[in-house]
Amino acid sequence: MKNNWREWRGWLRRLGSADLFRRAHWRLTALYSGIFTLFLALFVMIAAALFYWIATSDQERRISRLAEQEANTIEQFLLKQSDFDLFHDESVVLLSEDQLFFYVIGPNGDLLAGDEIHPRLRPYFLNVLSRMDTGERTPVYVTVSLPEHMPGLAREAARDWRVLAAARPLVIHGDFVGMLYIGMDVTSFFGVFHWLLIVLIGLSVLFLAVGVALSFFMSKRALAPIEEAYERQRQFVADASHELRTPLSVVFSSVEALALEEDVMKNDFAHRLLDRLRDELKRITKLMNDLLTLARADAKHAALELSKQTFDFRPHAERTFQLMSELAAKKQITMHFHAPEQALVTADPDKLTQLLYILLDNAIKYTPEGGEVTLSIRTEPKHVFLSVKDTGIGIPPEDIGRIFDRFYRVDKARSRQQGGHGLGLSIAKWIVDAHGGAIHVHSQIGEGTEFLVRLPC
């Protein structure tokens, strides 16, 4: 079970790192889906806000008009009286069809008159109205909390009622005689609005699923011609690199043959010219090999082309280390090697040796004279760790995320002087990903860089 999980996890890592177009496909799908989600969210918010604004505006207009009418009715009734103490006739104002209550509160806070659809709810209504701002003429939405059990009510399960309340002052001959409060039950409206939001969100989820599917197929169709052109370009690079290797080998053999001629080597100009040709041919040959490797790496089944076997990596590392030590000695760079007696790993020996060569060559190339380069190998039960650390110029933090990009060079002028093409680390990244491993970089400007590779055993 553990082996199956490890193979599945390794396949997922290769899927996310090696297949360039599949990653682009999912990025485009996520982008289109994100845009579609944004529009859906805006639609839901605008539709819900528009419905809420229309419904509440109509309710507020109705209760404001009702409050004005009842206030005028009460004032007209009081003007016909010799005193203002005739509020005992509560039929002076009749509750309308959707009106929940009306109350008239005197200047001292006493209830002068009132009626409600449920008499037992009067204390709860008055408690909420006592906290209202009497100077506010705009209707307000308030919540009336009721006890758990109120037998006889039509809505027994609802403990919280939403009420739209309006207040109007009563003034007779310039004297303030009380405040009129009226209320409408809008609990049903908020229930409908709540279900409307649920329906809108449900439809949005449905449309979002359709949008994601459409985004998936649209992005796949959009990438199809690009992938086809990329495949033709990859094949061209592979063919051109392969075809160029033969004439380059012939030219290189000719240069080596000329170098064996004594008459040619006696001429200083010819000697320098041959050395320069030899160096340039080596550089071009390395570039062709790197391009051919990357072209193979871009193949759909590149990971399957690895020739994996279980072997001891230490002898391979020692040979590569000794080879690179000769190059480091020319720059007076001190080399260090740390490894256990045995480092078993399941991998492609040639590709792993190439990986180590790239990392060591990169470290030596960007380490000044008198610096140090350290190769360390560490084993664990499930992983092997390779570390190549130098005391070189370091990598700026903003460039660390791009050093594995093809043809990307942090310092182009220095790279040209050193003969770099910006392909080595790209190949190293592919080798690590193809083995289901991971590569990390730690660097500080002026202090050096460390490449840490983790490979499964």
Side-chain angles (χ1 to χ4, degrees):
M1 185 67 180
K2 292 182 178 179
N3 292 333
N4 292 338
W5 167 245
R6 186 159 56 247
E7 292 177 1
W8 172 254
R9 186 173 57 185
W11 180 83
L12 286 178
R13 282 198 298 266
R14 291 193 295 272
L15 177 68
S17 59
D19 195 340
L20 174 65
F21 284 97
R22 186 165 298 181
R23 295 202 309 269
H25 182 199
W26 284 110
R27 288 195 187 103
L28 283 177
T29 301
L31 176 62
Y32 294 153
S33 301
I35 295 175
F36 191 69
T37 302
L38 178 62
F39 279 108
L40 274 179
L42 289 175
F43 170 77
V44 170
M45 289 188 293
I46 292 174
L50 188 62
F51 173 81
Y52 184 85
W53 177 76
I54 292 174
T56 55
S57 297
D58 180 67
Q59 291 173 347
E60 291 173 3
R61 283 194 300 269
R62 288 170 53 199
I63 197 170
S64 296
R65 184 169 59 250
L66 185 61
E68 294 292 344
Q69 292 175 355
E70 293 191 4
N72 291 334
T73 301
I74 294 176
E75 290 176 352
Q76 292 298 325
F77 175 79
L78 292 177
L79 286 174
K80 298 176 182 179
Q81 309 301 319
S82 57
D83 56 27
F84 300 153
D85 194 23
L86 297 177
F87 282 102
H88 298 291
D89 186 6
E90 297 183 353
S91 63
V92 64
V93 178
L94 298 177
L95 293 176
S96 63
E97 180 180 356
D98 54 356
Q99 188 174 347
L100 192 61
F101 62 80
F102 92 91
Y103 299 114
V104 177
I105 307 296
N108 298 327
D110 299 331
L111 178 63
L112 303 181
D115 194 10
E116 58 277 305
I117 195 170
H118 298 294
R120 288 181 299 143
L121 300 181
R122 176 175 291 186
Y124 305 103
F125 291 149
L126 292 177
N127 180 52
V128 173
L129 295 176
S130 64
R131 297 193 295 269
M132 283 184 57
D133 184 4
T134 57
E136 180 65 46
R137 296 183 63 86
T138 304
V140 295
Y141 291 90
V142 296
T143 301
V144 180
S145 299
L146 304 178
E148 290 189 27
H149 303 289
M150 293 287 291
L153 295 182
R155 195 187 297 108
E156 296 183 8
R159 294 190 54 191
D160 294 331
W161 284 16
R162 298 301 302 272
V163 177
L164 178 61
R168 291 293 184 274
L170 301 177
V171 180
I172 305 299
H173 299 309
D175 296 328
F176 173 73
V177 298
M179 183 69 68
L180 170 67
Y181 295 94
I182 66 172
M184 294 173 54
D185 184 9
V186 292
T187 307
S188 299
F189 161 73
F190 280 94
V192 171
F193 182 72
H194 173 74
W195 282 107
L196 175 66
L197 285 179
I198 293 178
V199 171
L200 286 175
I201 293 174
L203 290 175
S204 299
V205 173
L206 177 62
F207 288 139
L208 180 60
V210 175
V212 170
L214 288 176
S215 300
F216 182 84
F217 290 109
M218 288 173 58
S219 59
K220 189 173 184 179
R221 290 191 61 182
L223 283 173
I226 302 176
E227 187 172 2
E228 183 181 355
Y230 184 83
E231 179 63 23
R232 289 199 300 266
Q233 179 185 3
R234 185 199 68 79
Q235 190 62 42
F236 169 76
V237 172
D239 294 341
S241 301
H242 187 271
E243 293 298 328
L244 284 173
R245 295 176 70 182
T246 300
L248 284 175
S249 299
V250 173
V251 175
F252 188 77
S253 299
S254 301
V255 171
E256 292 295 328
L258 288 174
L260 296 177
E261 295 292 333
E262 295 183 3
D263 295 338
V264 175
M265 297 306 294
K266 289 179 180 179
N267 189 320
D268 292 338
F269 175 76
H271 181 69
R272 289 195 303 270
L273 184 61
L274 287 177
D275 288 341
R276 188 177 303 173
L277 284 173
R278 186 186 293 110
D279 293 339
E280 291 301 319
L281 283 172
K282 289 180 179 178
R283 190 172 67 88
I284 295 175
T285 302
K286 183 178 182 300
L287 175 59
M288 291 299 100
N289 291 333
D290 290 346
L291 289 174
L292 186 58
T293 301
L294 286 177
R296 291 171 177 169
D298 290 335
K300 293 182 179 180
H301 304 290
L304 301 179
E305 296 179 359
L306 296 177
S307 177
K308 288 189 176 182
Q309 54 183 281
T310 301
F311 65 100
D312 184 7
F313 183 59
R314 180 185 171 101
H316 298 263
E318 286 180 339
R319 285 195 297 269
T320 306
F321 181 81
Q322 293 297 330
L323 178 64
M324 300 306 297
S325 296
E326 298 176 2
L327 179 62
K330 298 179 181 179
K331 296 181 63 176
Q332 299 179 355
I333 294 176
T334 304
M335 301 285 288
H336 303 282
F337 179 68
H338 305 288
E341 292 298 327
Q342 189 179 46
L344 293 178
V345 61
T346 302
D348 186 318
D350 294 335
K351 293 295 187 295
L352 212 58
T353 302
Q354 184 182 10
L355 166 67
L356 192 57
Y357 175 85
I358 291 172
L359 295 180
L360 287 173
D361 179 68
N362 190 76
I364 295 172
K365 186 183 300 180
Y366 294 103
T367 299
E369 294 185 1
E372 296 182 0
V373 173
T374 302
L375 169 61
S376 301
I377 301 176
R378 179 168 55 89
T379 59
E380 289 187 359
K382 296 182 179 180
H383 295 93
V384 172
F385 294 88
L386 310 178
S387 171
V388 177
K389 186 175 183 180
D390 62 61
T391 58
I393 58 177
I395 304 172
E398 62 272 13
D399 292 314
I400 288 182
R402 299 191 58 191
I403 60 174
F404 295 109
D405 294 347
R406 298 178 185 182
F407 300 103
Y408 182 79
R409 293 173 291 188
V410 176
D411 188 343
K412 295 180 176 57
R414 182 184 293 270
S415 296
R416 292 192 187 98
Q417 294 173 2
Q418 300 291 344
H421 305 97
L423 293 176
L425 291 180
S426 300
I427 297 174
K429 182 71 162 56
W430 170 74
I431 293 174
V432 173
D433 291 340
H435 284 84
I439 183 169
H440 303 282
V441 185
H442 304 284
S443 182
Q444 292 186 357
I445 295 295
E447 296 186 8
T449 303
E450 180 182 12
F451 285 87
L452 183 62
V453 178
R454 186 188 73 242
L455 297 172
C457 291

